Amino acid sequence: MTPNAAPELRGGALHAALAAGAPVPGVPVSDVDPFSVEFFEDPHRIHHELREAGPVVWLSSWNVWALARYAEVHAVLNDWGTFCSSRGVGMSDFAREKPWRPQSLILEQDPPKHTRARNVLGRVLSPAVMKTLRERFAAAAERKADELLALGTFDAITDLAEAFPLAVFPDAMGLPKEGREHLLPYAALAFNAFGPDNELRRKAMAEAGPHVAYVTDQCARERLAAGGFGAAIHAAVDAGEITAEEAPLLVRSLLTAGIDTTVNGLGAAIYCLARFPEEYAKLRANPALARNAFEEAVRFESPVQTFFRTTTRRVEIGGVEIGEGEKVLMFLGAANRDPRRWEEPERYDIELKTSGHVGFGSGIHMCVGQLLARLEGEVMLAALARKVGSVEIAGPTRRRYNNTLRGLESLPVTIRPA
Amino acid sequence: MPSVIYIHPNGSRQTLDVPAGQSVMQAAVSRGIEEILGECGGNAMCATCHVYVEPDQLDRLPPMGDDEDALLDGAAADRLPNSRLSCQIKVTGELDGLVVRLPDRQV
């Protein structure tokens, strides 16, 4: 072993070895592939190893830097000047490769361009707007809970985690009824596209055509009903805040990120409550905990697992100097279970003070739809808490594989009336 | 260390010593003051850290940004002239003795 040996993760085990391939000697190197089925099946063990290896790890599988500790992830999310989004928030560097679709005006931009778009979407999805939706969403959640109780045994992913957002979000957007079946496949495609050029991404791209065509069509002003989020975005054109060319791309942002994320958040919450009956009992006793039970599921499972940034200059993170134009991968899910930040990170605790978790990101790019996600999560869990006495897993669960999103494909459950 | 006085909706007062640089929201959340949620973690995006600042202390605070102003319109409890988002109030020595009243709801 040489004095300058760097720890290396190989096959999941931590070895001391020369940092072969790492651009900086002495930096921990890992050959794990965070975009592989093995990783998706059990990310927590590898998250732990990455966190313990150091504040910055070189991923030799894809030649990118990676951060798995809360402090570094939070710091990078809050420093858009050094860690930009305009070169893409996936593995692809837009300075070197053409984006797979026209670049987002909000997710894949930096200030000052980002600020204008963010202000519009922030207003369209503001706390004041959420107040106007609450009653309608809560009534839809009550109906959904009654339907599910009538079924007794069902798949909590398709029949609940997907069905509820699909029952409220497209109407809130103002989308026509026909073609909505493209929404989830389009979102899966977009979130797969943040990953590397692997089989998941290639397969999604090969099947993209009809989903892209549908979403592109729905972004036009005439497709979007009055009173919805889509119409509100287009109204910002009349106010001179954005151009008529920009409005459809901002609608696209909501269609991309407004549904599958909530599906996986709600799926995570049901999966947690079914696995931890004592937490469900607490929720039953006090349905006002529904909102935090959802939030804690977002911390615990981190439905959006990763995002990248690109360095705009040479910068030091955790004692490691990183050059300009380098991709940095942030493990949001690992940060959300970092024992340096959380007292009992491995416990799903619906009374935890979750403020500060990075499941919705942090800083200027923090999820603009977070209030909508919380509203949907809260009203659905509150309706279940009032009506459903128990939630039990009723068969084998199956994981859904996506380069960015974490969630299940199938979660059979049996519920009993309260 | 500067202190901040939080008045609960039932009228009881709680004084916290807050390290300079922390926000009134962060101090409350980390010390178990239930009436402040801070769901967005201090990014001025959620309006769940709404407080009423003692009116005679309002001019001690930095002015309100446009984001904060817009968010307060959607706060769960009534917006009053002395409403602020506590994530936007960074505690400094000059703010020692700040008094904030907590609303009865944030959602």
Side-chain angles (χ1 to χ4, degrees):
Chain A
M1 207 186 292
T2 60
N4 282 334
E8 184 168 0
L9 292 166
R10 181 157 288 161
L14 188 64
H15 296 289
L18 274 173
V24 179
V27 93
V29 176
S30 168
D31 69 354
V32 298
D33 178 3
F35 304 100
S36 63
V37 164
E38 295 73 20
F39 192 91
F40 301 145
E41 284 292 345
D42 180 19
H44 305 303
R45 182 180 53 84
I46 299 168
H47 282 164
H48 169 77
E49 290 174 358
L50 293 170
R51 272 194 309 261
E52 298 315 308
V56 184
V57 178
W58 177 255
L59 290 188
S60 58
S61 52
W62 298 106
N63 289 336
V64 293
W65 300 99
L67 312 174
R69 294 183 183 175
Y70 179 88
E72 282 74 22
V73 168
H74 189 266
V76 166
L77 285 168
N78 281 279
D79 184 1
W80 55 263
T82 309
F83 302 94
C84 78
S85 292
S86 54
R87 288 171 72 166
V89 297
M91 190 176 282
S92 169
D93 181 356
F94 293 175
R96 292 171 196 173
E97 290 177 275
K98 188 173 180 284
W100 71 276
R101 59 175 191 175
Q103 199 163 336
S104 165
L105 295 180
I106 181 161
L107 182 74
E108 296 157 345
Q109 288 293 347
D110 308 316
K113 279 188 187 167
H114 164 270
T115 313
R116 215 157 40 98
R118 176 80 197 199
N119 287 344
V120 171
L121 290 192
R123 199 181 56 235
V124 168
L125 299 168
S126 71
V129 172
M130 294 306 117
K131 277 185 175 176
T132 68
L133 298 174
R134 172 171 285 274
E135 210 175 310
R136 197 191 331 154
F137 279 31
E142 296 279 324
R143 284 196 299 276
K144 183 54 66 189
D146 289 336
E147 279 172 40
L148 295 172
L149 272 169
L151 290 173
T153 297
F154 56 90
D155 193 316
I157 300 305
T158 44
D159 299 331
L160 171 51
E162 292 180 0
F164 181 62
L166 282 170
V168 292
F169 176 79
D171 286 341
M173 273 303 294
L175 289 175
K177 297 281 181 207
E178 67 277 10
R180 292 178 177 185
E181 68 278 6
H182 289 290
L183 285 168
L184 289 175
Y186 181 81
L189 157 71
F191 282 95
N192 268 321
F194 294 124
D197 182 26
N198 58 9
E199 196 188 324
L200 267 176
R201 192 179 194 273
R202 282 195 292 267
K203 184 167 184 294
M205 288 295 169
E207 296 164 359
H211 312 312
V212 172
Y214 163 79
V215 164
T216 307
D217 284 349
Q218 311 317 308
C219 293
R221 190 165 196 167
E222 60 276 13
R223 299 292 290 166
L224 296 154
F229 304 142
I233 291 169
H234 281 282
V237 176
D238 307 335
E241 292 173 280
I242 49 172
T243 68
E245 292 71 40
E246 290 171 325
L249 277 175
L250 285 185
V251 173
R252 192 194 68 180
S253 289
L254 294 198
L255 294 179
T256 307
I259 191 146
D260 214 358
T261 46
T262 319
V263 166
N264 285 296
L266 201 48
I270 305 300
Y271 190 35
C272 285
L273 291 166
R275 276 178 296 168
F276 308 110
E278 66 287 356
E279 297 302 308
Y280 188 65
K282 277 192 219 164
L283 178 60
R284 288 262 301 126
N286 181 10
L289 290 170
R291 194 170 172 96
N292 206 60
F294 176 75
E295 195 76 24
E296 166 67 344
V298 174
R299 178 197 70 84
F300 190 76
E301 289 289 351
S302 299
V304 176
Q305 284 277 298
T306 47
F307 269 124
F308 289 83
R309 294 290 187 265
T310 312
T311 53
T312 58
R313 58 175 175 85
R314 288 163 80 90
V315 59
E316 192 192 298
I317 314 176
V320 178
E321 191 172 290
I322 293 178
E324 183 274 335
E326 305 259 339
K327 282 280 174 183
V328 179
L329 173 60
M330 300 172 293
F331 285 100
L332 306 178
N336 278 341
R337 291 191 183 206
D338 183 353
R340 293 162 190 79
R341 170 63 178 77
W342 310 96
E343 263 173 47
E344 288 184 274
E346 307 297 329
R347 190 175 146 228
Y348 174 71
D349 171 7
I350 70 168
E351 293 179 290
L352 183 76
K353 301 279 174 224
T354 52
S355 179
H357 79 79
V358 291
F360 289 109
S362 183
I364 63 166
H365 291 285
M366 191 180 185
C367 176
V368 74
Q370 59 183 287
L371 306 178
L372 187 67
R374 287 193 191 103
L375 176 60
E376 290 178 40
E378 177 197 341
V379 296
M380 192 62 242
L381 295 188
L384 294 174
R386 282 191 299 268
K387 292 168 181 276
V388 174
S390 66
V391 182
E392 279 165 45
I393 297 178
T397 60
R398 210 166 61 246
R399 193 151 287 285
R400 182 174 287 172
Y401 303 132
N402 185 285
N403 280 330
T404 306
L405 296 172
R406 173 170 173 77
L408 294 176
E409 175 75 30
S410 178
L411 171 59
V413 294
T414 298
I415 61 174
R416 293 190 172 81
Chain B
M1 208 180 284
S3 66
V4 175
I5 298 133
Y6 299 79
I7 304 180
H8 295 277
N10 68 5
S12 69
R13 295 163 75 94
Q14 189 173 350
T15 303
L16 297 185
D17 293 327
V18 181
Q22 243 188 22
S23 71
V24 172
M25 179 281 283
Q26 284 169 326
V29 168
S30 65
R31 309 280 277 283
I33 290 185
E34 301 284 333
E35 292 90 345
I36 290 183
L37 299 181
E39 285 181 340
C40 79
N43 286 287
M45 292 176 187
C46 75
T48 64
C49 65
H50 178 201
V51 296
Y52 303 114
V53 175
E54 279 296 275
D56 62 352
Q57 296 189 334
L58 266 181
D59 54 9
R60 295 173 71 185
L61 301 181
M64 187 184 295
D66 292 344
D67 287 357
E68 183 181 351
D69 193 6
L71 284 167
L72 279 167
D73 283 339
D78 289 342
R79 179 177 185 169
L80 300 175
N82 58 336
S83 286
R84 290 295 304 257
L85 293 183
S86 57
C87 74
Q88 299 302 298
I89 307 174
K90 240 186 202 142
V91 176
T92 59
E94 291 87 77
L95 287 185
D96 183 37
L98 183 73
V99 178
V100 297
R101 284 177 187 276
L102 302 168
D104 61 358
R105 61 189 190 282
Q106 296 285 4
V107 177

